[in-house]
Amino acid sequence: MGVTFRSGHYVRFVRIGGRTIKDGEAAVIWDRKGRANQIIGPRRVNLFFSTIRFLDRYKAEPHQYLVVNYRSGKISHVPGPVSQYMNPANHDSIEVKDGFKLETKDDCIVVFSSKSNHNNEEQHDTEESSKEQRYASQRRIVHGPTIFFPSEGETVHAFQWTTSRLLQKGSTIDSLLSQEGQTFHIIAVNKMSLWNCQLAVSTAESSKININLALSYKIDCVEKCLTVGNPIPALDAALLNDATNCTKSELNLMEWVLKESTYPTLCQTMASFGFQLTKIQVLGVSYAKKPRPEKTREDITSEVQDEIRKMEQLNASKVSFLEKLHDMGVDVTQVLCASNGRTNMIGENLRD
């Protein structure tokens, strides 16, 4: 019998014998005629040319639910707290999934459910419509606070939005527009969020200025968010389109950037997707570095001539210094030997 609990890895064929199924264990036994019998312990069973297999136990806590897939094709959702054994004679698989936790009244999810629209009393005109059963997908929005467990035939919509290409580097703001391409199910309406982005604006003086913006926004209509699979590329394009329309000078640039009327395309695009722009802030401004002008052949020739002139002046000063030493009776040969012929040391002494 053993001390530990046995699971689905324990499979034995027993000709003549018995097994003790402890309290907390379960097993399925196939007799010599192939009939299956599930037994939940504690119980002692006698076996005669039978196969016994212990069962895996699945447990769902209060915030979880079990998805039971039957061999018949039926699917059952069982909210926790509950535990169930997976019997291979009846089940294909059992999964433990977390419920959707909606913490506030602003948190919501979109649920699609497949309901049969077939009416037995309704007469269909064609043979094809009379033979096939019609199904329609119904959509509803579930608001919090609650823990939602989907029923059989219900699917929670998954939003798959990419990351904004204009997102400011190093931004740690938790926002729908700053997620790294993650899939999410819960969306918050009427909740203020930030979109930190970088824009390159050209002024009337043709100078490039990089502006770090913090756009405050909220989602006021979930239904409009479902009209497009991924609204982020369209919002990026709308913001870039408005930024290219700058005709202001550097003195009036900040006033132009902070006006909501500066972004008509962005506001219209956000409204069509259920977003609302509420506030615009400037986090920082930096000027683009101007590229250094390329040197012409005349500039390079002039620099080379200046270097040659400097070397000639230095060599002349070295010769003059050695001549003075010679006039003073100093053996110049010994001076050069002491410096190992490195005349640059003489030049450094002259500079000092």
Side-chain angles (χ1 to χ4, degrees), residues 316-330:
S317 61
K318 292 179 182 180
V319 173
S320 176
F321 177 73
L322 293 175
E323 289 177 350
K324 291 180 181 181
L325 291 178
H326 184 267
D327 295 338
M328 294 171 60
V330 178

Side-chain angles (χ1 to χ4, degrees), residues 110 112 139 141 157 159 222-229 273:
V110 181
F112 292 90
R139 184 179 68 191
I141 298 177
H157 179 71
F159 295 91
V222 180
E223 288 83 357
K224 292 183 179 180
C225 293
L226 300 173
T227 59
V228 63
F273 295 151

Side-chain angles (χ1 to χ4, degrees), residues 70-121:
Y70 290 88
R71 293 177 62 87
S72 62
K74 176 185 174 182
I75 299 177
S76 176
H77 291 187
V78 185
V82 68
S83 64
Q84 187 169 344
Y85 294 98
M86 194 192 79
N87 187 346
N90 300 326
H91 308 135
D92 281 334
S93 65
I94 296 179
E95 296 179 78
V96 181
K97 293 188 176 182
D98 293 330
F100 297 90
K101 187 177 181 180
L102 308 177
E103 296 181 350
T104 66
K105 63 179 181 179
D106 295 331
D107 294 338
C108 63
I109 54 177
V110 181
V111 181
F112 292 90
S113 57
S114 299
K115 301 292 184 180
S116 174
N117 270 354
H118 179 68
N119 189 352
N120 294 329
E121 298 179 358

Side-chain angles (χ1 to χ4, degrees), residues 189-210:
V189 295
N190 298 322
K191 178 183 177 181
M192 300 301 299
S193 301
L194 284 178
W195 176 18
N196 290 350
C197 57
Q198 283 184 332
L199 284 180
V201 180
S202 298
T203 62
E205 296 85 1
S206 299
S207 59
K208 293 283 187 179
I209 300 179
N210 297 322

